[in-house]
Amino acid sequence: MIEKLNIVKQRFDEVNDLIIQPDVIADQKRYVELNKEYKDLKKLMEVRADYISLIDNKKEAEEIIADGSDPEMIDMAKMQLEEAKEQIPGMEEKIRMMLVPKDPEDAKNVVMEIRAGTGGDEASIFAGDLYRMYTKYIESKGWKHQIVDFSEGTSGGFKEIIFDVTGEDVYGTMKFEAGVHRVQRVPQTETQGRVHTSAATVMVLPEAEEFDVEIDPKEVRIDYFCSSGPGGQSVNTTYSAVRLTHLPTGLVAQCQDQKSQHKNKEKAFRVLRSRLYEQELAKKMEADAAKRNSMVSSGDRSAKIRTYNYAQGRVTDHRIGLTLYDLGNIINGDIQKILDELQLVENTEKLKENSDVF
């Protein structure tokens, strides 16, 4: 383990030198990539220091016990040895997980899209519940989010809502939320008290940097229109809302959240870049999933991933067979336990893949 960590330390020192080189700073793409690598390696270096300290404590305690000349020191050494023996296996497991190769996309910010599926008004209400769940989780992480575009449901919630999320390792965390979410409950509009099943689709797109996706302006049609509010009425009389159509692919992105036409255009381009980038990423993910039969990130948007059953107060994630009877807290944004379990399964799969390395 120490040998592997020393190899990582060499790379950390190398990256540390590179990020202050003028030619690297001038190359924006390389500079951003190296900065992300530096942050990841720095966390590992901190754990490495703790691990080396534990190994040293164990060695020191064993030497004192072997010497046997000071009874008082032997008792302290025995306690120190026990403590080190208890902590080392957990620390080694943590290091193994940290050594799992990270996807380069994991550090990216995201554009999230929630769309009401089958279930009429109830599906829109559920899409609104999911949006609220995510915003509460985002706030708990200290991340930030901003609405890009939305279309309200007739009885509340959203037919569709698009928002971006910025923070640390956002895509690496939120990518597990992509797929079809299903709710089973008695809708507000139901008079007979019958349980209905409705669905909403969540998409999580890694936000593409300008150097990730180059868009030829000649291949984009730009339309300007008046922003509209609930019921379709015009919010303002200026043509501030922007709709972009990427002619080669037919992909559309629009933004009407800001009063400034320039800001709406900037946001819409960000969404368009992310959708184009995600298309390529989805192909790669499907190929990777086919290679390793991954349960948790197959890139299949139509896969049913989770059910929220109100009658039983349970949430089931179908990919890993996890059921939690804590629906109230989960729908209020406490989704960390689910995400941790999904991350653990994915890392375990990657560890098996790289078993010769670890």
Side-chain angles (χ1 to χ4, degrees), residues 211-231:
F211 49 69
D212 288 329
V213 176
E214 286 184 22
I215 298 174
D216 185 346
K218 293 174 191 169
E219 296 180 339
V220 179
R221 189 178 75 234
I222 305 174
D223 298 308
Y224 301 102
F225 57 99
C226 294
S227 298
S228 60

Side-chain angles (χ1 to χ4, degrees), residues 8 11-19 30-48 98-99 102-104 106-109 143 166-170 209:
V8 177
R11 177 59 184 166
F12 175 73
D13 292 340
E14 188 183 332
V15 172
N16 200 14
D17 288 338
L18 281 169
I19 56 174
R30 191 165 179 229
Y31 182 68
V32 168
E33 285 170 353
L34 284 170
N35 253 308
K36 285 172 183 172
E37 188 180 355
Y38 175 81
K39 283 180 188 173
D40 290 337
L41 291 174
K42 193 170 188 293
K43 288 175 191 171
L44 192 49
M45 287 304 98
E46 288 164 5
V47 177
R48 173 185 177 270
M98 289 180 83
L99 285 168
K102 286 184 79 172
D103 292 329
D106 282 359
K108 289 182 181 289
N109 295 323
W143 298 341
T166 56
E168 192 175 335
D169 290 331
V170 180
E209 308 283 352

Side-chain angles (χ1 to χ4, degrees), residues 238-332:
T238 60
Y239 285 75
S240 60
V242 177
R243 183 184 297 112
L244 306 177
T245 307
H246 187 245
L247 301 173
T249 60
L251 284 173
V252 177
Q254 71 176 43
C255 180
Q256 58 175 330
D257 184 56
Q258 303 290 321
K259 288 178 182 175
S260 154
Q261 188 187 89
H262 175 72
K263 284 183 179 174
N264 281 331
K265 186 177 175 183
E266 195 180 298
K267 273 190 172 186
F269 261 107
R270 215 156 63 216
V271 173
L272 183 60
R273 267 198 304 272
S274 296
R275 285 184 180 160
L276 286 165
Y277 186 70
E278 193 266 347
Q279 270 194 348
E280 291 306 308
L281 185 62
K283 289 176 195 169
K284 179 181 176 291
M285 283 170 71
E286 279 168 26
D288 288 351
K291 218 186 298 171
R292 72 167 181 256
N293 195 24
S294 174
M295 289 184 288
V296 293
S297 54
S298 63
D300 183 359
R301 299 173 192 168
S302 62
K304 180 185 75 180
I305 64 164
R306 197 175 298 150
T307 296
Y308 305 75
N309 186 300
Y310 275 70
Q312 297 171 19
R314 69 170 167 85
V315 175
T316 300
D317 196 289
H318 305 290
R319 293 164 292 183
I320 53 174
L322 175 70
T323 296
L324 298 172
Y325 288 89
D326 191 21
L327 186 141
N329 285 323
I330 289 167
I331 209 73
N332 274 311

Side-chain angles (χ1 to χ4, degrees), residues 16-280:
N16 200 14
D17 288 338
L18 281 169
I19 56 174
I20 56 169
Q21 300 299 324
D23 58 325
V24 171
I25 295 167
D27 183 346
Q28 192 194 6
K29 183 175 182 180
R30 191 165 179 229
Y31 182 68
V32 168
E33 285 170 353
L34 284 170
N35 253 308
K36 285 172 183 172
E37 188 180 355
Y38 175 81
K39 283 180 188 173
D40 290 337
L41 291 174
K42 193 170 188 293
K43 288 175 191 171
L44 192 49
M45 287 304 98
E46 288 164 5
V47 177
R48 173 185 177 270
D50 292 340
Y51 178 68
I52 288 171
S53 176
L54 273 176
I55 295 293
D56 289 345
N57 287 350
K58 179 174 175 280
K59 191 177 176 184
E60 181 188 45
E62 285 170 342
E63 285 171 359
I64 292 167
I65 293 163
D67 178 74
S69 59
D70 188 336
E72 197 175 311
M73 286 292 285
I74 288 169
D75 287 341
M76 286 175 66
K78 280 179 179 175
M79 285 171 64
Q80 185 174 303
L81 183 62
E82 272 311 302
E83 201 176 290
K85 280 183 173 177
E86 274 178 28
Q87 290 180 24
I88 285 170
M91 186 74 80
E92 287 180 342
E93 184 58 29
K94 184 178 180 180
I95 290 166
R96 267 194 288 274
M97 287 299 180
M98 289 180 83
L99 285 168
V100 171
K102 286 184 79 172
D103 292 329
E105 284 79 25
D106 282 359
K108 289 182 181 289
N109 295 323
V110 302
V111 175
M112 290 188 71
E113 304 184 8
I114 306 172
R115 290 198 180 100
T118 52
D121 287 345
E122 169 63 6
S124 295
I125 293 166
F126 178 50
D129 292 341
L130 288 177
Y131 172 67
R132 182 171 164 274
M133 177 179 84
Y134 290 132
T135 52
K136 282 185 170 290
Y137 176 69
I138 288 160
E139 284 162 16
S140 76
K141 294 285 284 184
W143 298 341
K144 291 181 180 173
H145 79 284
Q146 207 173 27
I147 292 173
V148 174
D149 195 24
F150 65 92
S151 169
E152 292 184 315
T154 51
S155 297
F158 301 98
K159 290 177 186 172
E160 175 185 56
I161 183 161
I162 302 167
F163 56 102
D164 55 35
V165 186
T166 56
E168 192 175 335
D169 290 331
V170 180
Y171 183 70
T173 306
M174 298 305 291
K175 63 184 178 184
F176 300 111
E177 292 303 297
V180 177
H181 294 244
R182 194 174 67 161
V183 65
Q184 294 173 328
R185 65 184 174 191
V186 179
Q188 297 169 14
T189 51
E190 170 60 53
T191 53
Q192 305 295 317
R194 290 172 299 190
V195 173
H196 286 227
T197 299
S198 306
T201 302
V202 175
M203 286 175 65
V204 183
L205 320 178
E207 188 177 273
E209 308 283 352
E210 282 189 45
F211 49 69
D212 288 329
V213 176
E214 286 184 22
I215 298 174
D216 185 346
K218 293 174 191 169
E219 296 180 339
V220 179
R221 189 178 75 234
I222 305 174
D223 298 308
Y224 301 102
F225 57 99
C226 294
S227 298
S228 60
Q233 75 264 31
S234 178
V235 170
N236 56 45
T237 52
T238 60
Y239 285 75
S240 60
V242 177
R243 183 184 297 112
L244 306 177
T245 307
H246 187 245
L247 301 173
T249 60
L251 284 173
V252 177
Q254 71 176 43
C255 180
Q256 58 175 330
D257 184 56
Q258 303 290 321
K259 288 178 182 175
S260 154
Q261 188 187 89
H262 175 72
K263 284 183 179 174
N264 281 331
K265 186 177 175 183
E266 195 180 298
K267 273 190 172 186
F269 261 107
R270 215 156 63 216
V271 173
L272 183 60
R273 267 198 304 272
S274 296
R275 285 184 180 160
L276 286 165
Y277 186 70
E278 193 266 347
Q279 270 194 348
E280 291 306 308

